[in-house]
Amino acid sequence: MDCIQIKDKKFTVSIKEEDILKEVSRVADEINRDLAGKNPLFLSVLNGSFMFTADLMKRITIPCEISFVKLASYQGVSSTGAVKEVIGINEDLSGRTIVIVEDIVDTGLTMQRLLETLGTRGPKEIHIATLLVKPEKLKVDLNIEYAAMHIPNDFIVGYGLDYDGFGRNYKDIYTVVNE
């Protein structure tokens, strides 16, 4: 499907699944190389990162663990600017190597909040792995070591990303069509 309709918006394919998976493999290779011997704890940020996390973890070959956290900052097509923690972290992070797995970093406010929260729990080091980054929309300075792709400031759905809860199930990434 080259075009899809979700609610009141039309979207067109912008990144095909095979291109996504190629970049996910590259990121996994970098993590496997850089974090060998560190037994990292991957923290997947739900809901959006579930597909990225699944495909990334299939390619991680080093000993590791995974857990999930849920933060919310979106409503419709724009960020509310307020981050609300929905599901917390139960693991002991003291002295651990943490890899935050995120679907998209745009303003960076959600990631900044998560870094602050995790930092109070005494981790040894925290790394960021994200499927997508919108560099021109960043409002905070973040050290994003593992980014699969940089994209323009367009609204997108698919591969875990949604529009009001819809569209996460598509294997490709779609960009909104401005009419």
Side-chain angles (χ1 to χ4, degrees), residues 149-161:
M149 293 176 258
H150 289 77
I151 62 168
N153 189 23
D154 297 325
F155 187 73
I156 57 174
V157 299
Y159 196 74
L161 296 116

Side-chain angles (χ1 to χ4, degrees), residues 39-108:
N39 186 31
L41 171 63
F42 287 83
L43 286 179
S44 177
V45 181
L46 296 174
N47 288 337
S49 70
F50 78 97
M51 281 196 188
F52 175 48
T53 300
D55 286 335
L56 180 68
M57 295 309 290
K58 290 179 208 172
R59 293 160 175 81
I60 295 295
T61 57
I62 59 174
C64 64
E65 297 172 72
I66 185 166
S67 190
F68 299 88
V69 63
K70 187 169 182 178
L71 300 163
S73 67
Y74 264 82
Q75 195 167 6
V77 297
S78 60
S79 178
T80 62
V83 178
K84 175 182 166 192
E85 187 167 348
V86 180
I87 300 173
I89 301 155
N90 300 320
E91 288 78 12
D92 179 8
L93 306 184
S94 301
R96 296 291 310 265
T97 295
I98 308 299
V99 180
I100 299 169
V101 182
E102 180 66 287
D103 57 348
I104 187 167
V105 177
D106 48 23
T107 64

Side-chain angles (χ1 to χ4, degrees), residues 16-30:
K16 297 292 265 175
E17 179 186 33
E18 52 268 21
D19 297 323
I20 296 167
L21 294 177
K22 178 181 166 196
E23 295 306 316
V24 171
S25 291
R26 178 186 54 78
V27 167
D29 289 345
E30 292 172 8

